[in-house]
Amino acid sequence: MKKRTIFALSVVGTLVFALLAGWPGASHFAKAESKSSWIDNSGSAVGGKAIFTDCRPQKSSEHLQPIMKKGMAPGGHKIGAIRQLQSKSAPMMAPTADMAAAPMEAEAAAPMEAEAPTPPSETPPVSEPASQPRENSIYLSNDDSMSLSSAQRVEYAIRHFLPIPTPHLRPHEFLNYYQFAGKTPDANHVFGVEAALAPGLMRDQSTLALSVKGKSLTKEERSRAVITFVLDNSGSMSSANKMTYLKKGMEQVYDELKDGDVVNIVQFNHQICVPLEGFVVGRDKKSLFKKAVDYLESWGSTNLHDGMTKGYELSEKYREEEKNNRVIMITDAMANTGVVDEQLSSTVTRFYDKRRIAFSGIGVGHDFNDSLLDRLTEKGKGAYLFLASESAVNRVFGDKFISLLEVVARDVHFKLTLPDDLKMKVFYGEESSTKKEEVQPIHYFANSAQLFLSDLEGEPKGNETIRLDVEYHDPMDNAPKTETFIWKAEEIMRNSSKTIDKARLILSLTDLIGETAPQTYPYWNCWYRPCYRHLFPPPPLPPRPGVRPPVAIDSERSRKTCEHFKKEMESLAGRLAGDPEVPYVLDLRERYCDRFQANGKKPHPSWRE
């Protein structure tokens, strides 16, 4: 005891002497206890400075040496190699190909539980026990992934005279893409809901619209975040300005970050590299973030699965309970190396969602793999957007970025209870069931809105009520909560029907495209625009050499379909005067129908080169 006391006094004496003598190291030692406010007591793995790695292929950095020994392609890299450049952290095992044949219920159980960290006990189960709803109660899910990509992608195809494969058309995403009048949540609620009821298009039918708005947050109001960007720098990203949009987006997104956000960046092609790790906004220099983005180069094949699992590994390493933990992948999703099975890859996003690490996706380029990203974001319960133009860069990485990031309610179920006189006939969303466990819960994002549109059998009596219960878990403490909204039928029948008229206008556009879309690609002119043969069939009869076929598609049936919908849409638009989005929708219809012209007639002026 005496020796310990003497030693402690000697250490204190040495420090005091050093401070008095002006020893530089002593001032650093004295400041060690005054960490920045966003790191205080966080238990984070964030160190004193960010870790930067030069991942450019022409550099012979130490971390590239193991790959540059044999089997080289031009530039010194082995094409098709399934490797992962490890960071200083211990690797986390990802699901293996052996799991692909296992039932879905076991995918995240037996192999993954042994290899990945065990989810905390307070994490909610994947599906909750079935409740006992009233006889006329229906659980609704408008969109599992809160996606807007279908509307964005189809709009891009219309304006650029590109084919529109029918699977790319998801009408409920169009309803979410456009703005509807709604009720902003008050300070005590996460959701605001406004209802409208109108007579249906058929006799003895009604149409019900529920405009749902989530809580609105600014950058200053949102929670601090741990964000891991997983960026595709494979060779396919060099086409159609994909890498240009990605870089511009990453440069712009820095302005949407706030002091205390922790940022990691993973880049992947057939190899995985981490150019930036443990970067703290407000502590580390912006130039380091910018350099990590500037150094991105397109080359190699696409090992999306390993890039995603590396992103989750870093997100797990820096995970903080009080922060918003998220992986954001930006890619064209043309996976062709390593694990390419969509179902197997989606088990990774589902597993980490239970660890409260959410997944959001941004599809780059009009030819990106929509099926893969849609499945990944559905299982990861994250937002899903489309990026293929300068204007989209400004929107996705500007005012829409917070909707990729901030969850205001987890595991949300919408339960609609109708009076006995009304029965659900058609729901224009993704899922509906009287059994709660058959409808996948979603996470609801800040600054997001959805329109729940239903056709009902029957007409309500004036004194009957319609009820919506929004059941969810608090994103911070995981406490179960319910918000209830009740309307009298006679009151919402008196509400303006503009919401329902606008919804019908938008669905008329999607119906038109759905009926005629197959005519947009069987005879696609590969000499006028790229054919993208991996997505669309080539023309059955190629034109004679030196003869350029007409740009317009000669389809009498499609022209008549366009005329029918033109009358219907203009009638609806006449009741929506003053809505700035209505002329926009009508212009899309006109541009789309311009392609179905008789031979020799020129298409819309915007198609001219």
Side-chain angles (χ1 to χ4, degrees), residues 71-88:
M72 303 298 179
H77 295 279
K78 184 178 179 182
I79 301 301
I82 308 173
R83 296 174 184 261
Q84 182 169 330
L85 302 177
Q86 303 293 348
S87 70
K88 295 181 180 180

Side-chain angles (χ1 to χ4, degrees), residues 114-178:
E115 297 171 346
T118 304
S121 58
E122 69 271 17
T123 303
V126 175
S127 60
E128 302 178 51
S131 63
Q132 299 297 325
R134 285 172 47 179
E135 182 180 354
N136 209 17
S137 293
I138 309 103
Y139 286 92
L140 307 174
S141 175
N142 188 286
D143 184 7
D144 289 341
S145 60
M146 298 285 287
S147 172
L148 301 178
S149 66
S150 174
Q152 293 171 310
R153 192 173 192 182
V154 170
E155 176 191 319
Y156 182 90
I158 290 174
R159 294 193 176 280
H160 293 79
F161 205 75
L162 294 170
I164 304 176
T166 306
H168 293 178
L169 187 68
R170 296 187 283 271
H172 58 274
E173 294 187 20
F174 278 75
L175 292 176
N176 296 337
Y177 182 67
Y178 293 95

Side-chain angles (χ1 to χ4, degrees), residues 190-212:
V190 172
F191 295 94
V193 186
E194 187 169 296
L197 188 64
L201 298 176
M202 306 291 289
R203 185 176 179 182
D204 195 31
Q205 284 189 6
S206 304
T207 299
L208 174 67
L210 301 174
S211 180
V212 179

Side-chain angles (χ1 to χ4, degrees), residues 28-105:
H28 175 78
F29 184 88
K31 292 178 181 178
E33 294 301 320
S34 58
K35 295 181 180 179
S36 301
S37 60
W38 54 81
I39 303 177
D40 279 345
N41 303 317
S42 65
S44 168
V46 175
K49 61 179 181 179
I51 303 170
F52 176 80
T53 303
D54 189 341
C55 295
R56 290 178 294 180
Q58 69 271 24
K59 297 290 183 180
S60 57
S61 303
E62 182 180 349
H63 69 281
L64 291 177
Q65 291 302 324
I67 303 176
M68 299 176 63
K69 292 181 178 179
K70 58 182 179 179
M72 303 298 179
H77 295 279
K78 184 178 179 182
I79 301 301
I82 308 173
R83 296 174 184 261
Q84 182 169 330
L85 302 177
Q86 303 293 348
S87 70
K88 295 181 180 180
S89 60
M92 178 179 296
M93 296 297 292
T96 62
D98 296 335
M99 295 168 56
M104 285 297 291
E105 294 77 14

Side-chain angles (χ1 to χ4, degrees), residues 10 39 51 94 128 137 210 228 249-250 317 328 382 391 401 424 482-483 549 602:
S10 65
I39 303 177
I51 303 170
E128 302 178 51
S137 293
L210 301 174
T228 301
M250 288 298 293
K317 177 181 176 182
I328 299 178
S391 60
F401 181 70
M424 179 70 71
T482 301
E483 294 182 12
K602 294 181 180 180

Side-chain angles (χ1 to χ4, degrees), residues 352-402:
Y352 280 101
D353 177 66
K354 293 193 294 180
R355 291 282 292 158
R356 300 172 72 86
I357 300 175
F359 180 90
S360 292
I362 300 174
V364 188
H366 59 270
D367 59 341
F368 77 97
N369 186 345
D370 174 78
S371 174
L372 176 55
L373 268 186
D374 187 49
R375 182 184 285 267
L376 292 178
T377 52
E378 178 183 335
K379 297 301 181 183
K381 299 180 184 176
Y384 170 28
L385 299 177
F386 169 64
L387 182 64
S389 66
E390 291 281 356
S391 60
V393 170
N394 296 330
R395 186 174 184 186
V396 170
F397 294 97
D399 58 351
K400 276 291 176 185
F401 181 70
I402 197 168

